[in-house]
Every structure is written in structure tokens, then in C-alpha cells.
Amino acid sequence: MIPWWGWLLIWSGLVIALLAVVALLGWRLVKRFFALLDDVFVVTEKLSILDGVAAETEARPMNAILREGDEVRATTGARMARRAERKHARRQARIQRGKMLTTATIDLKEWPHEPR
């Protein structure tokens, strides 16, 4: 059987440990909150810069439904032609790399030396 003062010591130790854990978690939460505030200030500064840039840019073009059909077809055709050119250039680069790999001669390569 534990005397009354033993129970008092056990419970007071538990309460002190609880307060220490709550204080530690509270301190970490406060530090994270201040870090979040710093990040919010940085983001608001960047957004103010972006708002200024967005205000200076030109207005967006009209919707395709409001433009003439010939104009829409011309812009779409030009966009598709640019995409086809880029695709063709990427394909040619891949073919060139493949040819370099398959036609390489071993005589021109330097092999790594064995560690001493």
C-alpha cells in the first residue's frame, strides 16, 4: 500500500510532465506560426509584383467564337505548323543521337584505368 504522499508525488510528477509536453508543443506551434507569417509576407510581396505585371500586359485575344472563321483557321494552322516543326526537330535530334551511338568505334574510346 502506497501512503498518501506517494500518490501526491506521482500525480504531481505526471502533471509537471504534462505541462512540459504542452509547453514544448506550444512553443513549436508558435515558431511554425511565425515562420508561416514570414512566408505569407514574402508571397504577398511577390503577388504585388505579379499584379503590377498582369495589369501592364495586353488584353487577351477575343474568343474564337467571336472571330471570323478564316482568322481562326489561320491561327490554328500556324500553331499546328509550329508544333509539327518542333516535333520534327526533336525526332531528328533523337535519330542523330541514335546514329552516333550505333556508329561509334571502340578504337577511339579511352577505357578507364583500373584503380591501383
Side-chain angles (χ1 to χ4, degrees):
M1 184 104 187
I2 299 177
W4 65 272
W5 54 268
W7 287 109
L8 185 65
L9 287 176
I10 290 172
W11 280 103
S12 61
L14 287 174
V15 168
I16 290 171
L18 172 70
L19 292 176
V21 168
V22 168
L24 175 68
L25 292 177
W27 178 251
R28 288 180 60 196
L29 184 64
V30 166
K31 283 176 41 178
R32 288 183 181 180
F33 177 72
F34 285 126
L36 177 68
L37 281 180
D38 290 339
D39 291 342
V40 167
F41 288 136
V42 169
V43 168
T44 53
E45 288 174 4
K46 289 183 181 181
L47 282 178
S48 65
I49 292 171
L50 290 177
D51 286 339
V53 170
E56 294 172 2
T57 58
E58 297 177 8
R60 295 182 66 176
M62 289 178 29
N63 289 334
I65 205 164
L66 300 176
R67 296 188 315 193
E68 293 294 325
D70 294 334
E71 184 182 349
V72 172
R73 277 189 286 280
T75 56
T76 303
R79 187 176 71 238
M80 297 298 269
R82 285 192 308 270
R83 288 180 65 192
E85 289 172 12
R86 288 194 312 260
K87 184 177 180 180
H88 182 70
R90 286 193 306 267
R91 184 174 184 278
Q92 290 301 323
R94 282 195 307 269
I95 289 173
Q96 186 64 26
R97 282 193 303 269
K99 285 180 181 177
M100 286 174 35
L101 288 174
T102 57
T103 59
T105 59
I106 277 186
D107 298 338
L108 301 177
K109 302 293 179 192
E110 285 188 28
W111 295 96
H113 301 288
E114 292 184 17
R116 295 180 186 186

